[in-house]
Amino acid sequence: MFSKFAADIATLPAGLSSRNQLPLRLCIFKKGDLEAWYTPFDHINRSAKLVLVGITPGETQLINGLAAARSQLASGAAAEQALVASKQTGAFSGDLRRHLVALLDDVGIQRWLRITSAAELFAGSHELVHTTSVLRHAVFRKGKNYNGTPSMLRNPILRQHIYDHFVAEIACLDQAVFLPLGAKVAAALDFLAEQGVLARERILPSLPHPSPANIERIHCFLGLKQPGRVSPKTNACKLLAARELLVRRIALLPAP
């Protein structure tokens, strides 16, 4: 889709900082209180061993990705170079990335991939990972980052968005295992496995979503907050059992 939107991206302001600065032409759909904006994360790393799957890019990731693509185009870069830079800069950017690296290191992803830390996946070891989202382009509800409500599997517009974009990516990533970030992403991957789109054995148990809004569950998962001190909204026993299952699954993965 990049060729369709490249001219609009090239004319974005240099100090891009908000979705309010985007031209309406970058809006893919607007239906009721839901809207989606083109996010230049089209690049697919077909050699990836690990696919990190979020729910959808948020405004921070959308703006960072567009700003990186704009900068590349302004310097005369080719479209593919702009897309690679956009993905590497914008995907899981901001506080999301810091929390995500901590979670990945905690369960042993770095040992499986034979790197020092999962931070390298966003630095010098890009070839090992593909980052994506079930809802590939940034979705917002009532002007705020989409958080899983309404259900993306029951809402026909969101479900079609999954089929139009994410399903096509899956077909290009036949060497990788998929790691869902959050229960709603895990449910979406499970649904696609039921539909025969993705082999169930290629889906790992989920990590907590690395959003700062999920910080209590992240801290409990990482052992930074004792189970007895979490709020009633966090099921510590279930969370820690899920962590143990994921650690075991990763330890059994064949060397990449």
Side-chain angles (χ1 to χ4, degrees):
M1 297 178 68
F2 186 71
S3 60
K4 178 180 178 181
F5 297 107
D8 292 312
I9 293 172
T11 59
L12 291 173
L16 184 65
S17 60
S18 167
R19 191 168 86 257
N20 295 331
Q21 297 172 273
L22 302 181
L24 287 177
R25 290 184 299 275
L26 292 179
C27 185
I28 295 175
F29 71 74
K30 184 172 178 61
K31 182 78 170 179
D33 57 10
L34 290 171
E35 60 187 80
W37 292 76
Y38 171 71
T39 309
F41 293 166
D42 307 49
H43 173 72
I44 299 177
N45 177 18
R46 295 170 182 265
S47 64
K49 305 304 178 187
L50 174 69
V51 181
L52 299 173
V53 189
I55 189 167
T56 187
E59 183 167 13
T60 296
Q61 293 74 47
L62 168 65
I63 295 304
N64 288 345
L66 286 170
R70 178 211 167 277
S71 177
Q72 288 290 316
L73 293 174
S75 68
E80 184 60 22
Q81 184 178 340
L83 287 172
V84 170
S86 177
K87 175 69 77 74
Q88 293 177 354
T89 301
F92 298 111
S93 55
D95 288 337
L96 276 176
R97 188 175 293 186
R98 177 168 56 86
H99 295 318
L100 178 56
V101 166
L103 289 165
L104 292 172
D105 282 347
D106 181 68
V107 296
I109 283 291
Q110 78 284 19
R111 290 189 292 274
W112 169 53
L113 294 176
R114 300 180 181 180
I115 55 179
T116 302
S117 167
E120 294 180 32
L121 298 175
F122 302 100
S125 298
H126 297 292
E127 73 283 357
L128 294 172
V129 68
H130 178 71
T131 56
T132 188
S133 300
V134 178
L135 298 171
R136 248 274 289 117
H137 298 282
V139 174
F140 302 90
R141 179 173 182 252
K142 297 182 179 180
K144 297 182 179 180
N145 292 341
Y146 171 78
N147 65 2
T149 303
S151 166
M152 56 185 158
L153 297 179
R154 290 194 292 270
N155 182 282
I157 295 173
L158 297 180
R159 188 172 62 247
Q160 189 60 49
H161 192 87
I162 294 172
Y163 276 102
D164 288 346
H165 303 286
F166 181 59
V167 168
E169 279 191 84
I170 291 175
C172 301
L173 297 161
D174 57 358
Q175 301 181 49
V177 294
F178 288 68
L179 178 54
L181 306 179
K184 292 178 180 179
V185 177
L189 294 190
D190 185 61
F191 170 78
L192 293 175
E194 291 175 357
Q195 302 300 308
V197 173
L198 178 62
R200 196 175 298 278
E201 60 268 20
R202 295 177 60 202
I203 304 172
L204 293 170
S206 68
L207 279 174
H209 194 279
S211 167
N214 202 31
I215 195 64
E216 181 177 75
R217 298 184 80 249
I218 293 170
H219 282 176
C220 181
F221 190 92
L222 295 174
L224 300 176
K225 190 168 188 177
Q226 295 303 309
R229 300 186 64 186
V230 300
S231 66
K233 67 180 181 180
T234 296
N235 187 329
C237 292
K238 182 178 179 181
L239 190 62
L240 295 177
R243 178 191 177 279
E244 184 62 29
L245 177 60
L246 179 55
V247 168
R248 291 200 303 268
R249 282 286 306 276
I250 291 171
L252 293 174
L253 289 174

